Amino acid sequence: MYISGAYPKLILVSFLTQPLNSWSECGEFNKNDFDSVMIRYSNNDGKNAILNAIDNDLSQVNSALDEYNVLTVNIKDPKALGKLIAHPDIDAIEPDYEQCTLHTEHNLRADPFERNTTSHTRNLVEQTPYGITMVQAQELWDMEGTANIKICVIDTGYALGHPDLPEESDGVSGWNANSGYGTWHRDGHGHGSHCAGTIGAVGDNGLGVVGVINDPSKFDFFIGKGLSDSGSGTTSNVLAAVNQCVDNGAKVISMSLGGGGFGSISLNTYKAAYDKDVLIIAAAGNDGNSAYSYPASYPHVMSVGAVSSSESIAGFSQYNDQVEISGPGVNILSTIATNFDFFTYASWSGTSMATPHVAGVAALVWTNFP
């Protein structure tokens, strides 16, 4: 849904009259606390109009995307937005859609590694997941590479301390989009760590699995914790994480998430990153139909579908004219954290799992052919 200040009479009645918290499924309206919206203003007069509405028609400001003249606010009464729509310096009002991980959990590997123990010294046989072979990552492993690239993973966090993932000494850093989400270097869900492992699980260490880029000296991770430990977040927090990735020098952004509809605020944010030579890669969606999923279906984002080990299109994978490539996404073994402090491995499926394969290959190629 897009409400433009240029067309103030085009107010979507379904949005302005919908009861609070009535959209409850992931990918629809933000169900946490009050419903929230993103508002883009054209100048300080517009920004002040939003701030002046706080405690009257609106609730608190949740977040700001100052670079794009956007404030995210909670709302008390959707009908009150009509006052701001009519303001000449308000350009757009859009839902702050909920966004979520796009995966299905399968097999959890037993015998996890506990944080702060010596259990990680056990010599488990290292496996090469079929997806690594399918994308032919090994063909570039022995090349020297002339560029160290930074890869951003926007997700539920990162299991820092997992014996099969790069450490801070390897250049891992990160940022939290929301204080309520916890810290970027802990992953209470596991999804972010699974995606990170597909990209860069350490090779030749006798442990677990190997990632598309098996040598942590060839890249740096930047972790944008744009989703909570429950696996969900908001469009505004994901966009804030995108900005942080760009500002911290990431050249590839991997987003195994989705939810909600098209929005001009998101469109402009992704275009701005693209115009700075950042490759943004996102999961196409798991509904098994031709519907557009966002952010994958924005024109400046590469949309990734999923295939199985037999290279057949996965039954859950969405397909449409925005899907540009597919990657291994069925029964993918990778690194995870459970209950924050236990590190292990699991096989999961989804376009979530296909996306980091593509991101890893893009980064691996970029390091060798900058």
Side-chain angles (χ1 to χ4, degrees), residues 234-287:
T234 63
T235 296
S236 61
N237 282 326
V238 170
L239 294 180
V242 169
N243 287 340
Q244 287 293 320
C245 293
V246 175
D247 290 345
N248 281 275
K251 300 304 293 182
V252 176
I253 299 177
S254 181
M255 300 192 299
S256 294
L257 51 83
F262 176 91
S264 69
I265 293 172
S266 295
L267 172 68
N268 291 340
T269 302
Y270 292 120
K271 181 181 185 303
Y274 178 87
D275 289 343
K276 294 178 181 178
D277 296 326
V278 177
L279 178 61
I280 310 165
I281 302 169
N286 293 345
D287 287 341

Side-chain angles (χ1 to χ4, degrees), residues 83-238:
K83 299 177 182 179
L84 287 174
I85 293 169
H87 196 287
D89 299 312
I90 298 298
D91 293 334
I93 301 176
E94 298 172 359
D96 190 14
Y97 287 114
E98 190 173 18
Q99 300 204 336
C100 302
T101 61
L102 297 173
H103 77 292
T104 299
E105 299 180 16
H106 293 293
N107 300 319
L108 180 69
R109 182 164 170 172
D111 197 22
F113 306 104
E114 185 173 359
R115 184 185 293 272
N116 298 326
T117 73
T118 59
S119 60
H120 66 272
T121 61
R122 288 169 295 182
N123 187 24
L124 302 181
V125 176
E126 184 176 77
Q127 299 181 43
T128 300
Y130 79 85
I132 307 303
T133 303
M134 182 181 291
V135 301
Q136 301 177 333
Q138 299 100 318
E139 294 190 13
L140 292 178
W141 282 355
D142 293 332
M143 296 183 68
E144 291 294 329
T146 59
N148 185 282
I149 194 168
K150 183 169 287 188
I151 306 168
C152 179
V153 180
I154 298 178
D155 214 292
T156 59
Y158 183 83
L160 189 67
H162 194 298
D164 215 5
L165 288 175
E167 294 279 1
E168 286 181 291
S169 60
D170 297 313
V172 180
S173 59
W175 177 83
N176 310 311
N178 186 309
S179 60
Y181 289 0
T183 58
W184 67 265
H185 51 79
R186 301 191 78 188
D187 184 0
H189 185 283
H191 187 270
S193 302
H194 195 282
C195 294
T198 294
I199 293 172
V202 180
D204 297 325
N205 63 351
L207 294 175
V209 296
V210 60
V212 174
I213 309 178
N214 68 334
D215 183 352
S217 70
K218 292 186 176 181
F219 74 102
D220 295 331
F221 266 138
F222 184 84
I223 307 301
K225 188 156 184 169
L227 301 180
S228 70
D229 290 325
S230 68
S232 65
T234 63
T235 296
S236 61
N237 282 326
V238 170

